Amino acid sequence: MKKTERVWMEISTENLRHNVKALKKAMPPDCELMAVVKAEAYGHGAYEVSKELNKMGVTSFAVATIDEGIELKKRGIFGEILILGYTDVCRAPELKKYDLMQTLIDYEYAKSLNSQNIRIKTHIKIDTGMHRLGIPGTEVSEVEEVFAMENIRVCGIFTHLCCADSKRPEDVAFTKKQIGSFYRLIDRLKKDRIEIPKLHIQSSYGLLNYPELSCDYVRAGIALYGVLSSPNDETTLKPDLRPVLSLKSRIILIRSVKAGDSVGYGRSFKADCDSRIAVIPVGYGDGIPRNLSGNVGSVSVCQHTAPVIGRICMDQLMVDITDVKEAEVGDIVTLIDAKGDWELSAPAIAQKTGSISNELLCRMGTRVSHVSMV
């Protein structure tokens, strides 16, 4: 790592490879892994991760936007790329040019896309109860009409399970209702002699809690990166998943602060003894949640845990290194740890902020520009 880097990510290709193998082992033999690399691969670096996945034989990807898909195609990522979200139909030429697959978010959208007179690869999204995107599973005639559209090539049908991460009886019942609704639609299409394309229902938690489902793809997102959304999530399957991302920075300044002196905005921290305070050049502008301020968050310095003190700033945060006598300017500081410090794991940090790992990892902005594959 160059000494000039302010803040950087380290991405473990070994752990990424391990997770791919662990997830594939948990999947049915004829099922394919669809790697979800939207939002910069959950903050890990979409191109860097996709490039490694291509080397591992993964050739199915999912993104959220057309621009995410185009960027991967331009940079040489090969295989199928499904856009999970909305794309303005006027961009149909780009969908065709870059050989991207577009999710049909409802029937009217499908008609509008068809009217562009450009043959487009698509997957039909079915709304089985989440009520976000998709054609309602009860609207069989609309789904069948989509198959008949001249410029729509249906390559897949899928739904999304909105509470597959929950083991509460009422949520399990709702999930099973969603699954039943989806397969009833498929059975009706078969009865009406519609040729069924590839099917997918399970995202990460769909696989971990409903592994018995037989589909053509599993859309692996957060599990691919080796963490669960929350540390206390219980799952039916418990594969050996290993965190992929570490976030690191350096001490750039050490302040000697006398007892009673304050540090940072609002003077929210006052030293109760003579202290040594380290300044770290990373803040909420880099995705570190501001509500980790004031002894809520911590970092690792010289293999010691040091608490975050005062308010996290846009570009810096401060930690108390009074008890870390050996700490010096230039020492590496770990903010998210992929190597076993549970308190610095993404799920543990996210829980402290009242959020989930998915959001924490996606928050890291463009200023964390260096992705080191280790």
Side-chain angles (χ1 to χ4, degrees):
M1 180 58 54
K2 295 179 181 178
K3 288 276 189 180
T4 56
E5 296 296 343
R6 179 182 68 90
V7 55
W8 67 93
M9 291 178 284
E10 290 181 354
I11 305 299
S12 171
T13 54
E14 179 182 351
N15 286 0
L16 184 63
R17 286 179 177 274
H18 172 88
N19 294 339
V20 169
K21 291 178 182 177
L23 290 170
K24 284 185 174 181
K25 185 178 180 180
M27 291 159 47
D30 297 328
C31 189
E32 186 177 351
L33 179 69
M34 180 184 286
V36 182
V37 293
K38 61 182 179 176
E40 283 297 327
Y42 290 54
H44 292 64
Y47 168 69
E48 291 81 5
V49 166
S50 299
K51 182 180 177 181
E52 292 299 323
L53 291 173
N54 265 172
K55 292 177 184 177
M56 300 173 206
V58 176
T59 57
S60 294
F61 299 91
V63 296
T65 71
I66 184 174
D67 293 307
E68 290 178 335
I70 290 173
E71 177 70 12
L72 293 179
K73 287 285 189 174
K74 281 184 173 180
R75 299 188 71 175
I77 300 304
F78 61 87
E80 298 179 330
I81 299 179
L82 171 64
I83 301 167
L84 295 171
Y86 167 79
T87 299
D88 193 298
V89 296
C90 72
R91 301 189 71 177
E94 293 170 275
L95 292 171
K96 179 73 172 179
K97 177 180 178 180
Y98 292 101
D99 194 30
L100 299 170
M101 296 188 294
Q102 174 60 45
T103 291
L104 301 178
I105 63 172
D106 74 351
Y107 175 65
E108 292 300 324
Y109 178 84
K111 288 200 301 181
S112 183
L113 187 61
N114 182 58
S115 71
Q116 303 304 303
N117 293 317
I118 299 172
R119 190 155 172 79
I120 300 298
K121 294 179 180 178
T122 68
H123 283 217
I124 302 175
K125 179 73 175 286
I126 302 299
D127 178 12
T128 55
M130 188 172 182
H131 300 323
R132 188 175 61 176
L133 303 180
I135 300 173
T138 54
E139 298 295 336
V140 180
S141 61
E142 289 188 352
V143 176
E144 291 184 344
E145 285 181 39
V146 171
F147 275 92
M149 291 178 182
E150 182 179 0
N151 297 308
I152 298 296
R153 179 183 169 190
V154 180
C155 301
I157 308 180
F158 71 106
T159 194
H160 191 55
L161 306 177
C162 60
C163 52
D165 58 332
S166 172
K167 302 288 278 186
R168 294 190 307 172
E170 60 268 34
D171 290 333
V172 171
F174 189 87
T175 299
K176 289 181 177 180
K177 183 179 177 182
Q178 283 191 274
I179 294 167
S181 175
F182 183 77
Y183 280 114
R184 279 193 296 274
L185 170 66
I186 300 304
D187 288 342
R188 176 64 184 274
L189 295 177
K190 288 178 180 178
K191 183 178 179 181
D192 292 343
R193 299 185 179 182
I194 299 292
E195 185 176 346
I196 304 302
K198 292 186 175 182
L199 306 178
H200 46 116
I201 295 179
Q202 300 144 301
S203 56
S204 292
Y205 280 93
L207 173 64
L208 296 178
N209 281 329
Y210 300 89
E212 70 279 3
L213 299 179
S214 179
C215 290
D216 296 291
Y217 296 111
V218 165
R219 303 185 304 270
I222 195 66
L224 182 63
Y225 307 109
V227 296
L228 296 179
S229 295
S230 300
N232 298 321
D233 285 344
E234 286 295 326
T235 57
T236 301
L237 290 185
K238 295 177 172 59
D240 176 27
L241 299 176
R242 301 175 184 176
V244 172
L245 179 146
S246 294
L247 182 66
K248 298 184 178 182
S249 187
R250 284 191 173 84
I251 296 175
I252 58 166
L253 191 64
I254 295 177
R255 293 285 193 191
S256 294
V257 175
K258 295 184 181 299
D261 282 355
S262 60
V263 176
Y265 284 120
R267 303 178 65 222
S268 62
F269 172 82
K270 291 186 179 180
D272 56 12
C273 63
D274 291 350
S275 305
R276 288 208 317 154
I277 306 300
V279 180
I280 317 299
V282 57
Y284 63 77
D286 306 290
I288 304 299
R290 189 171 180 268
N291 54 357
L292 289 174
S293 300
N295 290 308
V296 176
S298 60
V299 302
S300 177
V301 183
C302 301
Q303 299 184 328
H304 295 277
T305 299
V308 174
I309 56 97
R311 294 180 186 170
I312 293 175
C313 313
M314 184 181 291
D315 314 306
Q316 291 97 26
L317 58 80
M318 288 74 73
V319 299
D320 188 344
I321 57 167
T322 306
D323 295 329
V324 189
K325 306 297 184 184
E326 64 270 40
E328 298 178 350
V329 169
D331 283 345
I332 291 176
V333 174
T334 301
L335 298 105
I336 300 176
D337 187 11
K339 294 185 178 179
D341 187 337
W342 175 247
E343 286 300 314
L344 294 181
S345 69
I349 294 171
Q351 186 180 50
K352 289 180 180 179
T353 68
S355 186
I356 57 175
S357 303
N358 313 48
E359 183 193 8
L360 174 70
L361 295 171
C362 288
R363 288 176 65 141
M364 283 178 273
T366 56
R367 299 197 311 184
V368 187
S369 56
H370 187 95
V371 179
S372 174
M373 310 300 285
V374 297

